[in-house]
């Protein structure tokens, strides 16, 4: 799913470029220091702006830095590199022209609706004689009249978000920032709230002049935004800016609307799961290169393989997201994990089972474990750990050593998340075991079945069984050694001369 990088426009290279800019960032990068002292880069040289009288949306997969960009432009975070401007003036502190509607409702549970809104006004230093009037107007604006004395616990999710919107609008912001504001409400409520926000913004005689929206919902951004900034991840970077010229009010079911949705689908999937095979690397005698491990549980990866198998081995990635009711970015993450394991291929917008994927879904549980292990040993990180352990099969490696390997090979990844994924995948394939108490990685032990004496007072042939049928202390088998979770049953038969396992 390739994106022609020649089509990616220069920032501001659209019809809005001549309009007055309210806020602008230039060549912004952001790094956060990890507990081990290493730097994690979450944004890389991002430049964009928001004009007066427009709605701009930041769209991209989870982890691409959308919320971080929002906080930088609000002055809550100072960028590691680059510049932020508000009305063409450098911004080095809180942006007083901005107000934020958060993803979580972020209400004080001990305060009423009115008190939650008044608190925001008091913190901004509004005169006491204006606070009540502004709060009441904001409550009327979002349709909460009559609920002034209600506590958050008595409100539905949609009404709680209306309180958040009223609180943000009460301070008369020039730009309204919205960080995935409708992700915690049902679809019908979200649709209603979107329309109300656009109606409030459309009143040209008052603020907010502009809206900056963070979203992972493609139809949502097509409905709301005039310009859509598509971001990629690891680290966050600009992929493309798409101008949306659909007339308002917009109809979710119109052909033009659906074409715009499809265009954004193609851009995102083309960037996140490209068609082109990786360029063959030159032979190397050094350690295997490490691939980034998508943060996906094995059970979820297996689930999507089963889903595809039930649909003749292929399905459109967007239909998968719709039918499974999963956020599109989460579906992409699982698809990328399955592709990394060579269980699926992704031509265009399709997700298709590979021969290995077909072999996996048809296999027994034990065979699946073995196939999973085979695929893991094709990946660089698992190869490196296996090479270290194979030199001393009874040895145990410190988790810290594996984490350092991740940091060295994948400096832009969250090493803790990658290590967790490594452990989950290794356990599922019974490739390595991990003891969380000692924080050691090692080869899992094979489970050893110990024979039991025959019951009902029958002798084992050596005269050692008591008359009541219970085994004597001398013949009681010792409890087996602890084994790692997920260790398969043994493959070896009992030794000659031992009694058979129960049920034999």
């Amino acid at each position: 799913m390739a994106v022609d990088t020649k089509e990616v426009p220069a920032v501001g290279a659209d019809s809005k470029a001549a309009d007055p800019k309210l806020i602008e960032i230039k060549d912004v990068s952001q790094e956060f220091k990890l507990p081990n002292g290493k730097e994690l880069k979450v944004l890389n040289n991002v430049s964009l702006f928001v004009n007066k009288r427009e709605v701009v949306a930041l769209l991209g997969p989870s982890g691409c830095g959308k919320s971080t960009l929002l906080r930088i432009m609000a002055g809550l975070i100072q960028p590691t590199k680059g510049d932020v401007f508000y009305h063409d003036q450098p911004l080095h502190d809180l942006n007083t022209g901005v107000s934020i509607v958060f993803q979580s409702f972020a209400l004080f549970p001990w305060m009423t609706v009115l008190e939650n809104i008044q608190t925001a006004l008091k913190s901004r230093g509004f005169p006491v004689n204006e606070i009540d009037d502004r709060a009441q107007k904001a409550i009327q604006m979002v349709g909460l009249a009559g609920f002034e004395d209600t506590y958050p616990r008595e409100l539905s999710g949609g009404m709680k978000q209306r309180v958040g919107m009223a609180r943000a609008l009460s301070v008369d912001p020039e730009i309204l920032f919205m960080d995935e504001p409708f992700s915690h409400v049902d679809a019908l409520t979200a649709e209603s709230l979107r329309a109300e926000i656009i109606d409030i913004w459309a009143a040209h005689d008052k603020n907010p002049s502009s809206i900056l929206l963070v979203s992972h919902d493609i139809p949502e951004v097509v409905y709301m935004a005039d310009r859509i900034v598509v971001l990629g991840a690891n680290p966050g970077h600009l992929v493309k800016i798409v101008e949306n010229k659909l007339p308002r009010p917009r109809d979710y079911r119109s052909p033009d609307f659906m074409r715009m949705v499809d265009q954004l689908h193609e851009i995102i999937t083309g960037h996140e799961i490209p068609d082109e095979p990786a360029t063959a690397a030159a032979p190397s005698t050094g350690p295997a290169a490490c691939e980034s491990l998508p943060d996906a549980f094995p059970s979820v990866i297996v689930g999507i393989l089963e889903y595809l198998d039930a649909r003749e081995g292929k399905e459109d990635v967007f239909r998968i997201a719709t039918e499974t009711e999963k956020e599109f970015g989460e579906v992409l993450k699982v698809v990328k994990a399955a592709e990394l394991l060579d269980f699926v291929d992704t031509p265009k917008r399709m997700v298709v089972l590979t021969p290995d994927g077909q072999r996996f879904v048809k296999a027994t549980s034990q065979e699946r474990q073995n196939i999973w292990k085979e695929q893991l040993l094709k990946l660089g990180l698992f190869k490196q750990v296996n090479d270290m352990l194979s030199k001393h099969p009874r040895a145990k490696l410190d988790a810290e050593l594996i984490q350092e390997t991740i940091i060295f090979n994948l400096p832009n990844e969250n090493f803790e998340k990658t290590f967790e994924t490594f452990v989950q995948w290794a356990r599922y394939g019974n490739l390595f075991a991990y003891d969380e108490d000692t924080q050691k990685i090692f080869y899992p032990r094979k489970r050893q079945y110990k024979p039991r004496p025959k019951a009902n007072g029958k002798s084992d042939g050596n005269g050692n069984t008591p008359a009541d049928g219970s085994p004597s202390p001398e013949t009681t088998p010792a409890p087996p050694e602890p084994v790692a979770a997920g260790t398969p049953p043994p493959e070896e038969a009992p030794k000659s001369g031992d009694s058979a396992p129960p049920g034999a």
Side-chain angles (χ1 to χ4, degrees):
M1 299 180 185
V3 172
D4 184 354
T5 55
K6 293 180 181 177
E7 294 181 4
V8 179
V11 176
D14 55 67
S15 60
K16 296 277 184 181
D19 294 345
K21 297 185 182 78
L22 284 182
I23 190 165
E24 182 177 16
I25 60 173
K26 293 182 178 179
D27 300 320
V28 161
S29 295
Q30 183 65 47
E31 296 179 350
F32 294 113
K33 186 165 284 188
L34 298 172
N36 66 346
K38 298 283 185 178
E39 298 287 343
L40 175 66
K41 180 172 277 192
V42 296
L43 291 172
N44 185 42
N45 291 332
V46 178
S47 298
L48 61 93
F49 57 82
V50 179
N51 293 313
K52 289 184 178 180
R53 305 304 320 161
E54 73 167 345
V55 180
V56 175
L58 305 180
L59 177 68
S62 300
C64 69
K66 302 186 296 291
S67 296
T68 301
L69 272 175
L70 207 70
R71 283 154 176 74
I72 288 173
M73 297 171 83
L76 295 171
I77 299 174
Q78 292 299 311
T80 307
K81 174 194 167 196
D83 300 298
V84 185
F85 299 93
Y86 182 58
H87 285 289
D88 295 325
Q89 298 300 312
L91 181 70
H92 300 297
D93 207 339
L94 288 177
N95 190 335
T96 55
V98 164
S99 192
I100 303 178
V101 178
F102 298 98
Q103 180 177 358
S104 59
F105 310 123
L107 303 178
F108 295 115
W110 59 87
M111 292 184 181
T112 64
V113 168
L114 182 61
E115 290 168 343
N116 265 283
I117 297 168
Q118 288 174 334
T119 298
L121 291 162
K122 290 174 184 176
S123 68
R124 292 288 286 265
F126 282 92
V128 175
N129 59 343
E130 287 187 25
I131 288 176
D132 188 63
D133 183 52
R134 282 178 173 271
Q136 292 290 352
K137 283 181 179 178
I139 286 171
Q140 291 280 347
M141 192 184 301
V142 300
L144 282 176
F147 292 90
E148 291 88 347
D149 298 323
T150 306
Y151 288 92
R153 65 177 179 273
E154 301 170 303
L155 300 175
S156 67
M159 293 178 77
K160 288 177 184 176
Q161 194 57 293
R162 287 177 191 272
V163 179
M165 289 161 50
R167 180 179 55 195
L169 293 168
S170 68
V171 300
D172 195 34
E174 189 172 25
I175 310 178
L176 181 65
F177 283 6
M178 308 187 80
D179 190 359
E180 300 192 28
F182 313 121
S183 59
H184 286 177
V185 299
D186 64 87
L188 290 176
T189 301
E191 194 168 320
S192 173
L193 291 174
R194 289 181 202 119
E196 289 182 32
I197 283 291
I198 292 300
D199 287 343
I200 291 169
W201 163 80
H204 288 200
D205 59 334
K206 58 184 178 182
N207 283 329
S209 170
S210 300
I211 296 173
L212 180 61
L213 170 72
V214 165
S215 181
H216 58 253
D217 187 314
I218 294 176
E220 177 173 276
V221 302
V222 173
Y223 180 81
M224 296 188 70
D226 299 303
R227 286 190 300 129
I228 301 159
V229 179
V230 182
L231 299 170
N234 298 319
H237 58 279
L238 181 68
V239 174
K240 189 169 185 177
I241 298 176
V242 179
E243 189 169 355
N244 183 1
K245 295 183 179 180
L246 294 178
R248 300 182 189 276
R250 291 170 181 167
D251 181 355
Y252 289 94
R253 296 164 296 179
S254 74
D256 288 341
F257 189 99
M258 296 307 299
R259 274 193 288 273
M260 175 67 75
V261 169
D262 285 343
Q263 179 186 350
L264 291 170
H265 280 164
E266 294 289 351
I267 293 170
I268 292 175
T269 53
H271 185 267
E272 293 299 314
I273 42 178
D275 281 343
E276 295 91 340
T279 305
S284 173
T285 56
C290 290
E291 303 86 350
S292 175
L293 304 182
D295 177 21
F297 286 104
S299 58
V300 181
I301 299 170
V302 173
I304 206 167
L305 300 181
E306 298 279 11
Y307 173 95
L308 293 170
D309 185 52
R311 289 158 180 78
E312 300 182 350
K314 59 184 178 181
E315 187 54 273
D316 183 288
V317 66
F318 305 104
R319 186 177 294 277
I320 295 174
T322 301
E323 291 189 353
T324 58
E325 298 182 346
K326 297 293 184 184
E327 189 260 305
F328 181 65
E330 291 298 313
V331 172
L332 274 183
K333 187 165 37 177
V334 178
V335 169
K336 289 169 75 174
E339 188 172 34
L340 183 64
L341 291 163
D342 201 26
F343 289 141
V344 302
D345 196 7
T346 53
K348 302 298 180 186
R349 289 169 38 170
M350 298 300 292
V351 184
V352 182
L353 285 176
T354 63
D356 281 330
Q358 293 170 358
R359 184 165 63 101
F360 182 89
V361 294
K362 303 300 182 189
T364 65
S365 296
Q366 182 61 56
E367 290 169 342
R368 284 186 174 191
Q369 192 175 71
N370 293 335
I371 295 169
W372 187 279
K373 184 190 295 186
E374 289 173 15
Q375 302 307 101
L376 291 184
L377 287 173
K378 296 176 183 177
L379 303 179
L381 181 58
F382 294 91
K383 280 183 185 176
Q384 287 193 36
V385 176
N386 189 57
D387 288 345
M388 287 187 275
L389 276 175
S390 64
K391 295 172 183 175
H392 305 283
R394 293 186 176 274
K396 297 182 179 182
L397 301 178
D398 288 329
E400 192 173 292
L401 176 61
I402 313 302
Q403 292 168 350
E404 288 175 357
T405 302
I406 294 168
I407 292 166
F408 179 78
N409 287 277
L410 302 166
N412 291 326
E413 298 293 323
N414 183 325
F415 76 93
E416 292 175 325
K417 271 192 177 181
T418 300
F419 180 74
E420 288 174 9
T421 303
F422 169 85
V423 169
Q424 291 163 3
W425 290 18
R427 281 174 168 169
Y428 187 83
N430 200 35
L431 177 58
F432 310 124
Y434 176 57
D435 187 319
E436 294 181 5
D437 293 329
T438 62
Q439 297 190 356
K440 299 285 187 181
I441 293 281
F442 51 93
Y443 284 133
R445 301 184 184 93
K446 288 187 176 180
R447 190 188 298 272
Q448 302 266 341
Y449 281 118
K450 299 275 185 174
R452 296 180 184 174
K454 294 182 179 179
N456 302 322
K458 295 180 181 178
S459 171
D460 63 357
N462 296 317
N464 291 324
T465 304
D468 64 358
S470 61
S472 65
E474 291 81 3
T475 60
T476 302
E481 293 184 3
V483 293
T487 303
E491 298 175 356
E492 58 230 35
K495 293 180 182 178
S496 174
D498 288 341
S499 53

